[in-house]
Amino acid sequence: MNTDLYSFLSCSEKQTQRLGYALGACLRAGDVVLLEGEMGAGKSVLTRAAARGMGVEGPVPSPTFTILNIHEGRALRLYHFDLYRLEGEDALYEMGLDEYIPADDGASLIEWPQMAAEAMPGDALAIDIRYAMDGEARAITLTPMGAFDQARLEEILKKMEDSHEYPDD
């Protein structure tokens, strides 16, 4: 496991969206992003912005009850998982959803990956979002693992720095 990580404080939803947009713009086929954090901390906000960065148009609802929503982007599909209601890896395998982790034709963003931890790949970008400053901000930590290395993380961070506003402004 790669121990290089990047942490920062997001003081607004727009800052979290900027990160998500940059992430989506940099994703490649087969990428997996593991989104952990407290309920309501911003995992879905980040995912919706990543979808925009991938060129997904229209609503990007959380797949809380369906477990997986698939969205068409410009060049890649977005496989958006919400494993919160999943009862472990076996349920994921029984539904056949593990075939999209990783996906050959898109990127997989997985909320609540700890619900099926054994099914998660070692090559991924882990993003942890926690409440900070009494809920006024979010502490976000990005940890590249395996083939999703420090260079890929730096590509995303550079894209975020180069974009001063979220495109939906």
Side-chain angles (χ1 to χ4, degrees):
M1 181 168 155
N2 191 336
T3 57
D4 296 325
L5 54 86
Y6 176 78
S7 295
F8 71 99
L9 199 61
S10 174
C11 295
S12 70
E13 188 170 292
K14 290 288 182 199
Q15 283 183 308
T16 302
Q17 290 171 328
R18 279 183 50 222
L19 170 62
Y21 188 82
L23 172 67
C26 294
L27 288 173
R28 302 174 189 161
D31 281 346
V32 176
V33 178
L34 308 174
L35 298 165
E36 295 191 36
E38 301 161 287
M39 184 75 71
K43 296 179 295 295
S44 293
V45 167
L46 188 122
T47 299
R48 280 191 291 279
R52 296 293 174 252
M54 294 175 71
V56 173
E57 296 178 2
V60 181
S62 182
T64 303
F65 294 99
T66 59
I67 310 293
L68 171 64
N69 287 340
I70 302 171
H71 304 278
E72 296 293 332
R74 276 185 303 275
L76 300 173
R77 286 185 173 150
L78 166 62
Y79 293 90
H80 179 198
F81 290 84
D82 184 332
L83 304 183
Y84 183 73
R85 298 191 184 286
L86 203 68
E87 294 183 13
E89 296 82 15
D90 290 343
L92 188 74
Y93 295 131
E94 287 169 11
M95 289 186 270
L97 299 179
D98 58 305
E99 70 183 78
Y100 302 114
I101 307 172
D104 292 337
D105 63 346
S108 302
L109 275 74
I110 305 170
E111 298 183 45
W112 302 98
Q114 65 272 30
M115 302 307 284
E118 295 297 318
M120 298 300 111
D123 297 329
L125 175 63
I127 300 178
D128 186 74
I129 305 174
R130 302 281 164 189
Y131 288 103
M133 298 173 51
D134 294 326
E136 296 298 315
R138 303 296 185 264
I140 301 177
T141 302
L142 296 91
T143 307
M145 303 182 311
F148 204 113
D149 61 10
Q150 187 69 24
R152 295 289 313 282
L153 177 57
E154 289 171 6
E155 176 186 350
I156 295 163
L157 298 175
K158 172 106 175 72
K159 184 78 153 175
M160 186 175 79
E161 289 172 13
D162 291 346
S163 172
H164 298 290
E165 294 185 22
Y166 178 62
D168 282 353
D169 285 347

